PDB file of all heavy atoms in Angstrom:
ATOM      1  N   ASP A 125     -13.655 -15.321  -0.083  1.00  0.00           N
ATOM      2  CA  ASP A 125     -12.409 -14.739   0.491  1.00  0.00           C
ATOM      3  C   ASP A 125     -12.670 -13.681   1.514  1.00  0.00           C
ATOM      4  O   ASP A 125     -11.981 -13.555   2.586  1.00  0.00           O
ATOM      5  CB  ASP A 125     -11.423 -14.266  -0.544  1.00  0.00           C
ATOM      6  CG  ASP A 125     -10.654 -15.517  -1.293  1.00  0.00           C
ATOM      7  OD1 ASP A 125     -10.594 -16.516  -0.635  1.00  0.00           O
ATOM      8  OD2 ASP A 125     -10.281 -15.220  -2.415  1.00  0.00           O
ATOM      9  N   LEU A 126     -13.640 -12.846   1.193  1.00  0.00           N
ATOM     10  CA  LEU A 126     -13.955 -11.706   2.107  1.00  0.00           C
ATOM     11  C   LEU A 126     -14.626 -12.294   3.461  1.00  0.00           C
ATOM     12  O   LEU A 126     -14.229 -11.842   4.514  1.00  0.00           O
ATOM     13  CB  LEU A 126     -15.025 -10.753   1.553  1.00  0.00           C
ATOM     14  CG  LEU A 126     -15.655  -9.680   2.464  1.00  0.00           C
ATOM     15  CD1 LEU A 126     -14.567  -8.822   2.984  1.00  0.00           C
ATOM     16  CD2 LEU A 126     -16.709  -8.896   1.625  1.00  0.00           C
ATOM     17  N   ASP A 127     -15.415 -13.273   3.380  1.00  0.00           N
ATOM     18  CA  ASP A 127     -16.001 -13.907   4.581  1.00  0.00           C
ATOM     19  C   ASP A 127     -14.988 -14.583   5.416  1.00  0.00           C
ATOM     20  O   ASP A 127     -15.052 -14.436   6.683  1.00  0.00           O
ATOM     21  CB  ASP A 127     -17.097 -14.924   4.106  1.00  0.00           C
ATOM     22  CG  ASP A 127     -18.427 -14.234   3.641  1.00  0.00           C
ATOM     23  OD1 ASP A 127     -18.492 -13.086   3.828  1.00  0.00           O
ATOM     24  OD2 ASP A 127     -19.172 -14.955   3.032  1.00  0.00           O
ATOM     25  N   ARG A 128     -13.972 -15.220   4.804  1.00  0.00           N
ATOM     26  CA  ARG A 128     -12.923 -15.743   5.595  1.00  0.00           C
ATOM     27  C   ARG A 128     -12.074 -14.648   6.276  1.00  0.00           C
ATOM     28  O   ARG A 128     -11.759 -14.889   7.378  1.00  0.00           O
ATOM     29  CB  ARG A 128     -11.939 -16.538   4.608  1.00  0.00           C
ATOM     30  CG  ARG A 128     -12.549 -17.814   4.126  1.00  0.00           C
ATOM     31  CD  ARG A 128     -11.536 -18.647   3.249  1.00  0.00           C
ATOM     32  NE  ARG A 128     -10.454 -19.075   4.176  1.00  0.00           N
ATOM     33  CZ  ARG A 128      -9.102 -19.145   3.820  1.00  0.00           C
ATOM     34  NH1 ARG A 128      -8.745 -18.684   2.749  1.00  0.00           N
ATOM     35  NH2 ARG A 128      -8.290 -19.658   4.571  1.00  0.00           N
ATOM     36  N   LEU A 129     -11.929 -13.542   5.606  1.00  0.00           N
ATOM     37  CA  LEU A 129     -11.102 -12.471   6.148  1.00  0.00           C
ATOM     38  C   LEU A 129     -11.926 -11.787   7.307  1.00  0.00           C
ATOM     39  O   LEU A 129     -11.311 -11.482   8.382  1.00  0.00           O
ATOM     40  CB  LEU A 129     -10.718 -11.461   5.131  1.00  0.00           C
ATOM     41  CG  LEU A 129      -9.970 -10.185   5.632  1.00  0.00           C
ATOM     42  CD1 LEU A 129      -8.707 -10.603   6.367  1.00  0.00           C
ATOM     43  CD2 LEU A 129      -9.704  -9.282   4.432  1.00  0.00           C
ATOM     44  N   LEU A 130     -13.156 -11.582   7.134  1.00  0.00           N
ATOM     45  CA  LEU A 130     -13.901 -10.975   8.190  1.00  0.00           C
ATOM     46  C   LEU A 130     -14.044 -11.876   9.390  1.00  0.00           C
ATOM     47  O   LEU A 130     -13.973 -11.385  10.557  1.00  0.00           O
ATOM     48  CB  LEU A 130     -15.310 -10.648   7.649  1.00  0.00           C
ATOM     49  CG  LEU A 130     -15.472  -9.588   6.519  1.00  0.00           C
ATOM     50  CD1 LEU A 130     -16.893  -9.465   6.153  1.00  0.00           C
ATOM     51  CD2 LEU A 130     -14.855  -8.290   6.965  1.00  0.00           C
ATOM     52  N   ALA A 131     -14.122 -13.259   9.219  1.00  0.00           N
ATOM     53  CA  ALA A 131     -14.021 -14.111  10.348  1.00  0.00           C
ATOM     54  C   ALA A 131     -12.777 -13.916  11.072  1.00  0.00           C
ATOM     55  O   ALA A 131     -12.732 -14.024  12.328  1.00  0.00           O
ATOM     56  CB  ALA A 131     -14.355 -15.477   9.901  1.00  0.00           C
ATOM     57  N   ARG A 132     -11.670 -13.819  10.346  1.00  0.00           N
ATOM     58  CA  ARG A 132     -10.377 -13.697  11.042  1.00  0.00           C
ATOM     59  C   ARG A 132     -10.272 -12.425  11.758  1.00  0.00           C
ATOM     60  O   ARG A 132      -9.828 -12.366  12.920  1.00  0.00           O
ATOM     61  CB  ARG A 132      -9.292 -13.758   9.958  1.00  0.00           C
ATOM     62  CG  ARG A 132      -8.908 -15.084   9.421  1.00  0.00           C
ATOM     63  CD  ARG A 132      -7.628 -15.015   8.671  1.00  0.00           C
ATOM     64  NE  ARG A 132      -6.480 -14.718   9.396  1.00  0.00           N
ATOM     65  CZ  ARG A 132      -5.307 -14.242   8.914  1.00  0.00           C
ATOM     66  NH1 ARG A 132      -5.125 -14.040   7.695  1.00  0.00           N
ATOM     67  NH2 ARG A 132      -4.395 -13.976   9.803  1.00  0.00           N
ATOM     68  N   LEU A 133     -10.882 -11.360  11.189  1.00  0.00           N
ATOM     69  CA  LEU A 133     -10.756 -10.075  11.816  1.00  0.00           C
ATOM     70  C   LEU A 133     -11.526 -10.088  13.088  1.00  0.00           C
ATOM     71  O   LEU A 133     -11.240  -9.530  14.175  1.00  0.00           O
ATOM     72  CB  LEU A 133     -11.348  -8.888  10.916  1.00  0.00           C
ATOM     73  CG  LEU A 133     -10.359  -8.642   9.823  1.00  0.00           C
ATOM     74  CD1 LEU A 133     -11.108  -7.756   8.740  1.00  0.00           C
ATOM     75  CD2 LEU A 133      -9.117  -7.867  10.334  1.00  0.00           C
ATOM     76  N   ARG A 134     -12.716 -10.819  13.146  1.00  0.00           N
ATOM     77  CA  ARG A 134     -13.532 -10.920  14.366  1.00  0.00           C
ATOM     78  C   ARG A 134     -12.758 -11.752  15.382  1.00  0.00           C
ATOM     79  O   ARG A 134     -12.747 -11.394  16.527  1.00  0.00           O
ATOM     80  CB  ARG A 134     -14.832 -11.589  14.051  1.00  0.00           C
ATOM     81  CG  ARG A 134     -15.816 -10.605  13.324  1.00  0.00           C
ATOM     82  CD  ARG A 134     -17.202 -11.208  13.234  1.00  0.00           C
ATOM     83  NE  ARG A 134     -17.314 -12.427  12.403  1.00  0.00           N
ATOM     84  CZ  ARG A 134     -17.612 -12.519  11.152  1.00  0.00           C
ATOM     85  NH1 ARG A 134     -17.662 -11.383  10.409  1.00  0.00           N
ATOM     86  NH2 ARG A 134     -17.632 -13.718  10.612  1.00  0.00           N
TER      87      ARG A 134
END
Side-chain angles (χ1 to χ4, degrees):
D125 281 339
L126 173 60
D127 286 344
R128 290 184 68 218
L129 176 55
L130 295 180
R132 286 191 62 199
L133 289 167
R134 289 191 295 269

